[in-house]
Amino acid sequence: MKLLTVMQPIGLVLILSACATPPAKVQPLEVSSSQYDRMNCKQLRESEGNWSQNVETLSEQQEKARAGDTIGVILIGIPASSLAGGDVETQLAQAKGHVKTIQSVIVRKSC
């Protein structure tokens, strides 16, 4: 009986660790600047805006996946959203990487 009492919190921690990562904790992937080096400042700002909007949209989706995972864990014991493909962590990391790279090119070009 004591073993079960000890194992329950450990199991809960393991299940919750499988949940979708919070958007703020998703780190940007490394993105080559070569595609942005040829752009002028106006094009860079436009591209930055597009990718920033993409980050915002993906962050909202990731937050929904995280909320769905939490509910799934509470109700059925599994992170349902992540298992159903709702987790967009990789796409979010890539979008964040593009924004970071574009911003560094903007600084380098003194836009």
Side-chain angles (χ1 to χ4, degrees):
M1 188 63 135
K2 277 191 168 194
L3 181 61
L4 183 58
T5 305
V6 171
M7 294 304 288
Q8 284 177 338
I10 293 171
L12 185 60
V13 168
L14 290 174
I15 290 171
L16 287 175
S17 68
C19 291
T21 305
K25 290 190 176 185
V26 174
Q27 296 299 309
L29 291 177
E30 195 70 32
V31 174
S32 171
S33 67
S34 62
Q35 62 185 326
Y36 300 112
D37 289 332
R38 298 182 299 265
M39 292 182 173
N40 62 38
C41 290
K42 182 181 177 191
Q43 292 169 321
L44 286 167
R45 292 284 183 202
E46 215 171 89
S47 190
E48 179 189 27
N50 292 338
W51 279 108
S52 292
Q53 180 61 46
N54 197 9
V55 166
E56 200 172 300
T57 300
L58 289 167
S59 292
E60 289 170 8
Q61 290 175 354
Q62 185 71 2
E63 193 55 51
K64 286 178 185 175
R66 183 171 161 71
D69 282 351
T70 301
I71 291 168
V73 167
I74 291 168
L75 295 178
I76 58 176
I78 59 170
S81 290
S82 290
L83 294 175
D87 189 340
V88 293
E89 182 175 352
T90 302
Q91 297 94 316
L92 179 56
Q94 184 178 23
K96 284 183 172 187
H98 279 277
V99 170
K100 182 178 176 183
T101 299
I102 293 167
Q103 289 172 340
S104 69
V105 173
I106 286 172
V107 168
R108 188 169 14 104
K109 287 188 169 193
S110 301
C111 291

